[in-house]
Amino acid sequence: DLHSFPTRRSSDLTSVSDISGIVEGAVDAAIGKELKRKGIHLHRVGYIYLKDAVALAMRDRSVLHAVTKELYPAIAEKHYTSSAGVERAMRIAIKEAWESSRTIIIMEKSMFSSYETEISQKCPTVTRFICEVTDTMCGELFMKRQCKR
């Protein structure tokens, strides 16, 4: 679980070993469940990257202030790809989920309601989406001491 990992400066998150053990067990399942609830499909490469991004953000919120400088490069290094590829895969997965949620919205409130994204508004940015999922996860997992606030 996340509380067993020592807190590090966000600048230290670029090594592969820092990410590899973060997403595991119950936290991994909870993040996956939340991404699925948001409409992110497992077959999308962006799903894996978003899962890692949320896990890193749960561990160290400061990465959300340096997404292009720290978060994307850390995930890219882990998956042997480029930062641009990570961002693109996440953006495509989010856009696909957001567009499919627009058709479901008649039956239920928007899946992106935490940040009040309305039908008429644009698709949430990658950073905004990661923040929303991280906030949701920390709200649920804080009670179990698996997320630092």
Side-chain angles (χ1 to χ4, degrees):
D1 56 5
L2 289 175
H3 71 280
S4 65
F5 292 95
T7 304
R8 297 185 185 189
R9 294 186 322 264
S10 57
S11 59
D12 293 337
L13 291 174
T14 56
S15 92
V16 174
S17 62
D18 285 6
I19 300 173
S20 61
I22 292 176
V23 179
E24 64 183 13
V27 175
D28 178 51
I31 294 170
K33 184 177 178 181
E34 182 62 19
L35 290 175
K36 185 177 178 185
R37 191 183 75 75
K38 297 280 188 194
I40 306 296
H41 297 287
L42 271 127
H43 69 277
R44 285 281 187 202
V45 175
Y47 171 87
I48 297 163
Y49 299 161
L50 285 165
K51 198 181 239 191
D52 285 346
V54 171
L56 282 171
M58 287 173 68
R59 181 170 148 208
D60 182 0
R61 293 286 184 109
S62 69
V63 298
L64 295 173
H65 299 288
V67 173
T68 57
K69 298 249 183 203
E70 294 179 15
L71 187 66
Y72 295 160
I75 295 168
E77 182 180 339
K78 177 184 176 189
H79 295 282
Y80 304 102
T81 189
S82 67
S83 294
V86 168
E87 187 275 334
R88 182 176 46 255
M90 289 180 180
R91 183 172 23 88
I92 289 168
I94 292 167
K95 183 179 178 184
E96 179 184 88
W98 185 81
E99 287 175 352
S100 69
S101 77
R102 292 178 72 180
T103 60
I104 298 170
I105 200 130
I106 297 168
M107 294 183 278
E108 66 178 71
K109 194 75 173 151
S110 172
M111 289 183 229
F112 299 98
S113 61
S114 296
Y115 284 85
E116 299 176 6
T117 301
E118 299 292 331
I119 296 176
S120 61
Q121 290 183 331
K122 294 180 181 178
C123 180
T125 64
V126 173
T127 303
R128 187 173 182 178
F129 183 84
I130 293 168
C131 286
E132 179 180 341
V133 175
T134 301
D135 288 347
T136 301
M137 296 307 305
C138 284
E140 292 174 8
L141 299 176
F142 183 69
M143 299 299 205
K144 298 176 185 176
R145 303 272 189 228
Q146 293 176 330
C147 185
K148 293 187 177 190
R149 284 205 178 220

